[in-house]
């Protein structure tokens, strides 16, 4: 699978080019268009239990769409629900990634994307204890709200990031999640911040410049006041 990004950065669409008879997996509802002869099958990837884990725990759809190119090859266009950029993330056997809820859009057939427990502290971080683990050898297409930012950390280098802005990170990285104002819930509330990640390198963290949760709260408050 080869990925070409168009209309970026604010309204990106990813065109995924497939070889003859090559399949790819797509988040339900993310397909925009596809070339002639491409076939679609939708099922609970990995069975009913895996589908429940993916939908209830990881915040993704119960069903996964599999698009397969005809013998002459083809393409599939995919896009996220929220306006923003997209990224094709290379996955290698020695470098799996954790993907936060809502970030995954599609992946090549040689990559496995499955629900993963992100740690008890992740649950209290307000973003959900589960996300997705991507491992194998191929490409994952991610969608973000806003623009993409990338932080590469050297060995022992720390960084603090708001939980709602984290899209994906190297699974080998060390991190903790804490209140933005350590040990002081009232001060965290007054600051407007909730929980943050403390990452320590080496490794890569992918961020989105807008926070979907904060936007949902803003939109909800304006809708109710209207």
């Amino acid at each position: 699978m080869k990925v070409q990004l168009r209309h970026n950065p604010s309204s990106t669409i990813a065109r995924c080019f497939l070889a003859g008879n090559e399949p790819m997996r797509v988040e339900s509802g993310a397909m925009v268009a596809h070339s002639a002869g491409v076939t679609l099958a939708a099922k609970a990837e990995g069975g009913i239990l895996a589908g429940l884990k993916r939908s209830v725990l990881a915040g993704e759809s119960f069903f996964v769409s599999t698009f397969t190119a005809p013998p002459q090859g083809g393409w599939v266009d995919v896009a996220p629900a929220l306006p923003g950029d997209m990224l094709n993330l290379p996955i290698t056997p020695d470098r799996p990634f954790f993907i936060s809820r809502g970030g995954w859009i599609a992946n090549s057939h040689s990559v496995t994307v499955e629900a993963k427990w992100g740690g008890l502290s992740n649950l209290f971080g307000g973003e959900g204890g589960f996300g997705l683990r991507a491992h194998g050898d191929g490409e994952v297409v991610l969608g973000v709200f806003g623009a993409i930012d990338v932080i590469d950390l050297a060995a022992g280098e720390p960084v603090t990031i708001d939980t709602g802005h984290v899209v994906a990170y190297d699974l080998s990285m060390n991190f903790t999640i804490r209140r933005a104002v350590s040990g002081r819930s009232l001060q965290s509330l007054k600051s407007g911040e909730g929980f943050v990640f403390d990452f320590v390198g080496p490794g890569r963290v992918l961020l989105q410049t807008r926070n979907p949760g904060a936007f949902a709260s803003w939109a909800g408050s304006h809708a109710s006041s209207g």
Side-chain angles (χ1 to χ4, degrees), residues 19-148:
N21 300 313
E22 181 182 5
M24 66 174 289
R25 295 176 179 87
V26 178
E27 167 74 342
S28 179
M31 189 276 291
V32 176
H34 62 73
S35 60
V38 172
T39 60
L40 165 64
K43 65 177 182 178
E45 190 73 22
I48 293 177
L49 181 58
L52 286 172
K53 287 175 62 179
R54 187 168 50 249
S55 62
V56 176
L57 302 177
E60 306 294 340
S61 61
F62 180 85
F63 292 102
V64 173
S65 300
T66 298
F67 291 86
T68 304
Q72 69 270 25
W75 53 264
V76 180
D77 281 353
V78 295
L82 292 172
D85 212 343
M86 299 181 73
L87 172 76
N88 56 304
L89 176 66
I91 304 294
T92 58
D94 61 342
R95 197 176 188 185
F97 270 79
F98 184 89
I99 302 171
S100 297
R101 297 164 63 97
W104 172 74
I105 302 297
N107 63 271
S108 56
H109 73 282
S110 54
V111 172
T112 299
V113 177
E114 57 193 358
K116 177 180 171 59
W117 173 243
L120 185 62
S121 58
N122 215 359
L123 182 64
F124 294 109
E127 302 303 317
F130 280 84
L132 296 172
R133 174 178 179 254
H135 60 99
D137 190 4
E139 302 285 332
V140 171
V141 179
L142 302 177
V144 305
F145 186 27
I148 294 169

